[in-house]
Amino acid sequence: MTTSQEIPVALEGLAGARVTAGRSQPLGATLDADGVNFSVFSEHANRVELLLFDKHDDLAPSRIINLEPDEHRSYHFWHCHVSGLKVGQTYAYRMDGPRHTKESGTRFNHRKVLLDPYARANVNTLWDRVRAVGPEDNCAYSMRSMVVDLDSYDWEGDEPLRRPLSDTVIYEVHVGGLTSSPTSGVRHPGTFTGVVEKIPYLKELGVTAVELLPVFDFDERQVLRTGPNGVPLHNYWGYDPFGFFAPHTSYCSDPCECTHITEFRDMVKALHKAGIEVILDVVFNHTSEGNEHGPTISFRGQANEVYYHLWPQDRRHYMDFTGCGNAINANHPAVAKFIIECLEYWVTEHHVDGFRFDLASELSRGAEGYEMETPPVLWGIELSGILSDTKIIAEPWDGGGLYQVGRFPGKRWAQWNGPFRDDVRRFVRGDAGMVGTVATRVGGSRDLFAKAGELPTNSINFITCHDGFTLNDLVSFNGKHNHANGESNADGSDENFSWNCGVEGPTDAWDVDQLRVRQIKNHAAILLLSRGVPMILAGDEFRNSQLGNNNAYCQGNEIAWLDWQQAEKEVDVQRFFREMIAFRKRHGALRAPRFFSGRRNERDLPDVTWHGTRLEQPGWEDTDARVLSFTLAGFDGEPDLHVIFNMFHLGLDFELPHLPGHHWARSVDTARTSPNDILPPGAEAPVEGHLFHAHGRSVVVLTALPDDGVTR
């Protein structure tokens, strides 16, 4: 195999290209009128080579540029400018330096070809992950970075939408999983372009933002293990990145033609035209390089001792607060710079509207892994002027036991509300004594956020997400069924608070299926009637199933792909979601960005009054209670609402408050079938008398309408 010492130095077509010192900032490969400026960070390297390839699949570089410390190094940055280079130029690095793994943690290996951490696009045509492990040269099996043009794209006046969090409804979706199934009917399945083809559906559903599972470049070829059927299992979700500035290669229709940037931008622009924001699920807590037995892709070979948490006693070994082999040392100045510049890049260059940070609590850990009171990187993100209008959402825990729901550093961060998920699940399945807790969740989780001076909009409310059961499976399985993952059903959460409605898994029993439909609607209704920011898992609106798998991270197949035949079949549930989202948008009392305060409206009705089956008797101390009702005051001319949650298995009569000059009319009732489960404005069903009979396991919403002269 050809080594770097044997590679010719002439670059065809660029024999007269000039190599000059260039500049240290910005990092990455920056195209200009004369060529490309390259800059890369490495504090302790003593030898850096820039490799230039004629084609993305060349086994060896056509030219090697040795960066001289006296000319091409400024402090911790190695840089040069090469004239004549164009868009699509493929490049990589080799670095050498001390290898004091135990004492300092440095892991330089000149035989390994390294990606540019700031690369805007990568290509993996030759990639062999196994060859990136160990001491051998891997040039002929390496990934390469690509030079892109950031300036020539026509945005047609597009910019981030800046919708208030209080008006946001999030749809969490996997880019590939949305359209990979043949049932999706798109021309470009599994790609950014495929997402564009589904925009009419998303717009009709009424969601205001898509939260995309990781789109940073990750190694989907990595074989994790072999499944029970003998088929290799790969990284599907993408929570294992290596290219933080680069759109994922496999989500592009033709990545070898350097279409990454254009296709991603086309998707963002099209979503914005439909009024839908783009939130990226980002992973800054670990990288794809894993522990000391993992591959060298970039960070390990450039500044291992800077990028990762290493054990102080023996720096050969990696601290792991993520369950993925390593943990990023996010509060080192150089790493914090990397993270913040990455986020600002996606906002300025790609018009992204927000970010959800996976295992975000790991970013609050200091050099030796301890929790920091004021972590620089998190405050840097919060205080960045470029990110000031950008949504920032934390998953406020990590794999090392740090749990920060309601106390995540900073004020502006929204947080995934795990207690909302668990408490609502328990309540809907029929657990007793939950009414006080559920009232708190419906009101925006004051117990979690008010002490820190935060608001209901700091709470991302959800029942399901990618990590766990789908909503259909939540009401169809008592236990997880993850055998297809090849881990003997040991992976995934055992604490799901699910209920199968009497039969485990799929069933032909009509009564069981109807109960499941009602439970799905109950979950959806409570989610969309609660203050905070609702998030819906893609496919829940048409009963998408993963066959009881609550951890489908390695299932890049029909188990995890959305089955669009379900969308054609489950039009009843789909309609309920669509109309329930519209109902939320019509009523400001459901979207108010502040906690209940006792403020009264023009009809002297307080913003909330809590009840049980009897008025103003909510049963906070009743350990057997399974019912809750409440009256919400409408402000600014909007109607008042009366909401009933009856999670008892039998129907019950609920007293209704008297509103002079108004009568109650049924708008939502999950116990009724379509189209009478949710009624549009003007079609509400009037309620006679001062009692309402709510069926067992149902959610009801009554709307106060002005009397029309008829005595009721």
Side-chain angles (χ1 to χ4, degrees):
M1 183 170 59
T2 304
T3 67
S4 61
Q5 288 79 10
E6 299 167 339
I7 294 169
V9 297
L11 183 60
E12 184 179 354
L14 288 173
R18 289 193 318 122
V19 178
T20 55
R23 59 192 188 279
S24 63
Q25 301 292 333
L27 286 160
T30 306
L31 187 71
D32 59 34
D34 299 322
V36 177
N37 189 84
F38 297 91
S39 181
V40 64
F41 168 83
S42 183
E43 184 175 3
H44 294 120
N46 55 33
R47 178 184 177 190
V48 176
E49 294 176 350
L50 172 64
L51 314 181
L52 300 177
F53 299 84
D54 278 347
K55 295 183 293 185
H56 66 88
D57 55 356
D58 282 350
L59 299 183
S62 302
R63 185 172 183 180
I64 301 173
I65 299 173
N66 290 293
L67 304 187
E68 300 294 337
D70 291 343
E71 183 179 1
H72 299 287
R73 181 172 184 171
S74 300
Y75 305 107
H76 308 311
F77 306 105
W78 296 76
H79 48 85
C80 71
H81 184 278
V82 184
S83 66
L85 299 186
K86 305 293 184 182
V87 172
Q89 175 64 55
T90 309
Y91 70 99
Y93 290 98
R94 289 189 192 267
M95 291 189 183
D96 208 353
R99 188 173 177 84
H100 301 151
T101 54
K102 183 176 182 179
E103 296 79 12
S104 67
T106 53
R107 283 183 175 267
F108 290 100
N109 183 349
H110 184 256
R111 297 182 182 91
K112 296 304 180 189
V113 171
L114 309 175
L115 289 177
D116 178 0
Y118 277 76
R120 272 52 173 174
N122 298 303
V123 62
N124 62 1
T125 310
L126 302 173
W127 174 239
D128 185 331
R129 187 179 181 90
V130 174
R131 302 276 187 157
V133 180
E136 294 79 12
D137 191 294
N138 76 321
C139 186
Y141 309 96
S142 62
M143 285 186 283
R144 288 86 189 266
S145 300
M146 300 180 78
V147 175
V148 303
D149 178 8
L150 294 175
D151 299 328
S152 62
Y153 185 79
D154 183 5
W155 277 106
E156 302 179 76
D158 178 82
E159 60 182 25
L161 297 182
R162 301 182 178 90
R163 178 178 288 107
L165 268 170
S166 57
D167 295 335
T168 298
V169 179
I170 298 173
Y171 190 76
E172 191 200 29
V173 63
H174 186 284
V175 169
L178 180 67
T179 62
S180 287
S181 170
T183 63
S184 68
V186 302
R187 291 172 296 168
H188 302 281
T191 65
F192 297 126
T193 306
V195 175
V196 174
E197 296 182 66
K198 285 297 181 183
I199 288 177
Y201 171 83
L202 299 173
K203 188 174 181 179
E204 182 183 14
L205 182 61
V207 296
T208 70
V210 290
E211 183 174 299
L212 304 179
L213 268 67
V215 301
F216 294 177
D217 225 349
F218 64 93
D219 185 8
E220 82 281 358
R221 296 185 185 179
Q222 179 185 2
V223 178
L224 303 173
R225 69 190 67 83
T226 300
N229 57 0
V231 175
L233 300 175
H234 301 270
N235 180 355
Y236 168 67
W237 279 350
Y239 289 93
D240 214 11
F242 58 78
F244 292 77
F245 285 76
H248 180 51
T249 302
S250 294
Y251 295 160
C252 306
S253 60
D254 196 358
C256 296
E257 295 300 318
C258 202
T259 61
H260 307 61
I261 300 298
T262 298
E263 292 187 35
F264 182 85
R265 287 171 163 178
D266 285 347
M267 178 191 68
V268 173
K269 184 168 65 174
L271 285 163
H272 282 176
K273 286 182 178 178
I276 300 173
E277 293 186 307
V278 178
I279 299 171
L280 300 186
D281 194 337
V282 294
V283 185
F284 289 108
N285 58 78
H286 75 281
T287 79
S288 183
E289 292 184 311
N291 61 20
E292 57 269 24
H293 305 295
T296 297
I297 299 174
S298 58
F299 305 101
R300 189 195 307 279
Q302 295 171 5
N304 184 68
E305 74 290 353
V306 168
Y307 282 107
Y308 297 118
H309 286 292
L310 306 175
W311 284 105
Q313 301 87 351
D314 186 344
R315 297 178 69 81
R316 289 175 297 184
H317 304 295
Y318 294 75
M319 293 183 177
D320 183 4
F321 308 116
T322 66
C324 299
N326 63 50
I328 289 179
N329 184 19
N331 287 294
H332 184 285
V335 185
K337 168 184 168 68
F338 171 81
I339 292 172
I340 294 171
E341 288 183 345
C342 179
L343 297 170
E344 292 176 343
Y345 164 77
W346 286 98
V347 171
T348 57
E349 296 294 346
H350 299 303
H351 297 194
V352 164
D353 302 275
F355 303 95
R356 177 265 186 188
F357 292 75
D358 178 65
L359 298 182
S361 291
E362 196 278 333
L363 303 184
S364 68
R365 294 182 182 270
E368 294 189 359
Y370 298 110
E371 179 183 0
M372 302 179 73
E373 184 176 350
T374 54
V377 69
L378 294 179
W379 278 99
I381 294 167
E382 173 150 340
L383 299 177
S384 166
I386 293 175
L387 303 176
S388 60
D389 293 324
T390 302
K391 293 175 174 64
I392 49 175
I393 302 169
E395 183 182 35
W397 51 81
D398 69 14
L402 187 54
Y403 190 81
Q404 297 174 306
V405 177
R407 64 178 191 88
F408 194 79
K411 298 295 183 186
R412 193 162 70 85
W413 289 82
Q415 302 168 43
W416 270 26
N417 191 340
F420 181 97
R421 170 199 60 205
D422 297 341
D423 293 338
V424 173
R425 285 184 177 192
R426 292 183 60 197
F427 178 64
V428 172
R429 79 173 178 180
D431 288 13
M434 297 292 298
V435 295
T437 301
V438 168
T440 301
R441 299 291 161 255
V442 169
S445 295
R446 177 190 290 270
D447 61 330
L448 299 176
F449 299 105
K451 290 181 182 179
E454 295 173 341
L455 301 168
T457 47
N458 288 99
S459 175
I460 304 296
N461 299 333
F462 66 104
I463 307 295
T464 56
C465 65
H466 68 277
D467 190 1
F469 279 141
T470 67
L471 189 51
N472 183 77
D473 290 357
L474 184 69
V475 301
S476 303
F477 295 90
N478 282 347
K480 64 187 182 183
H481 295 263
N482 298 355
H483 300 282
N485 295 351
E487 298 184 72
S488 303
N489 207 37
D491 62 301
S493 175
D494 294 315
E495 194 172 61
N496 298 289
F497 304 115
S498 61
W499 178 49
N500 65 14
C501 297
V503 177
E504 187 74 357
T507 179
D508 293 328
W510 182 88
D511 56 337
V512 174
D513 192 64
Q514 288 303 298
L515 178 56
R516 288 175 178 176
V517 168
R518 186 183 301 183
Q519 289 290 76
I520 288 171
K521 292 180 179 180
N522 289 339
H523 280 295
I526 294 175
L527 174 66
L528 291 161
L529 292 169
S530 298
R531 289 193 174 182
V533 183
M535 183 181 77
I536 298 167
L537 174 64
D540 276 354
E541 74 278 11
F542 53 75
R543 299 185 66 185
N544 190 68
S545 174
Q546 293 179 170
L547 305 179
N549 192 321
N550 74 349
N551 190 34
Y553 72 103
C554 56
Q555 299 296 331
N557 51 48
E558 290 81 0
I559 291 177
W561 295 344
L562 295 191
D563 179 4
W564 288 93
Q565 289 180 339
Q566 280 291 106
E568 298 174 3
K569 176 184 175 183
E570 298 291 342
V571 292
D572 172 27
V573 176
Q574 191 177 157
R575 174 187 175 274
F576 185 86
F577 270 82
R578 183 173 64 248
E579 295 299 330
M580 202 64 223
I581 292 170
F583 187 86
R584 178 182 179 84
K585 291 178 178 179
R586 290 197 299 270
H587 295 278
L590 304 177
R591 297 178 283 105
R594 301 200 174 272
F595 297 112
F596 296 124
S597 64
R599 176 191 171 198
R600 293 179 178 269
N601 66 3
E602 57 270 24
R603 292 174 295 282
D604 199 35
L605 192 69
D607 55 0
V608 68
T609 308
W610 299 102
H611 317 286
T613 56
R614 300 292 175 259
L615 294 178
E616 300 187 39
Q617 298 180 38
W620 301 140
E621 308 301 326
D622 185 352
T623 57
D624 292 325
R626 292 176 174 83
V627 303
L628 176 68
S629 62
F630 53 97
T631 308
L632 293 176
F635 289 86
D636 301 322
E638 292 186 353
D640 305 318
L641 301 175
H642 188 74
V643 180
I644 297 171
F645 298 157
N646 180 15
M647 294 303 128
F648 193 55
H649 68 281
L650 298 177
L652 298 170
D653 290 330
F654 287 75
E655 291 182 348
L656 302 180
H658 175 64
L659 295 180
H662 292 75
H663 65 277
W664 293 109
R666 177 173 51 82
S667 296
V668 179
D669 189 343
T670 62
R672 296 176 181 265
T673 56
S674 177
N676 293 311
D677 50 1
I678 181 165
L679 301 170
E684 299 95 341
V687 175
E688 301 292 338
H690 300 292
L691 291 176
F692 184 89
H693 184 78
H695 291 83
R697 302 192 187 278
S698 68
V699 172
V700 175
V701 184
L702 307 178
T703 303
L705 301 178
D707 284 337
D708 51 10
V710 178
T711 301
R712 289 180 170 83

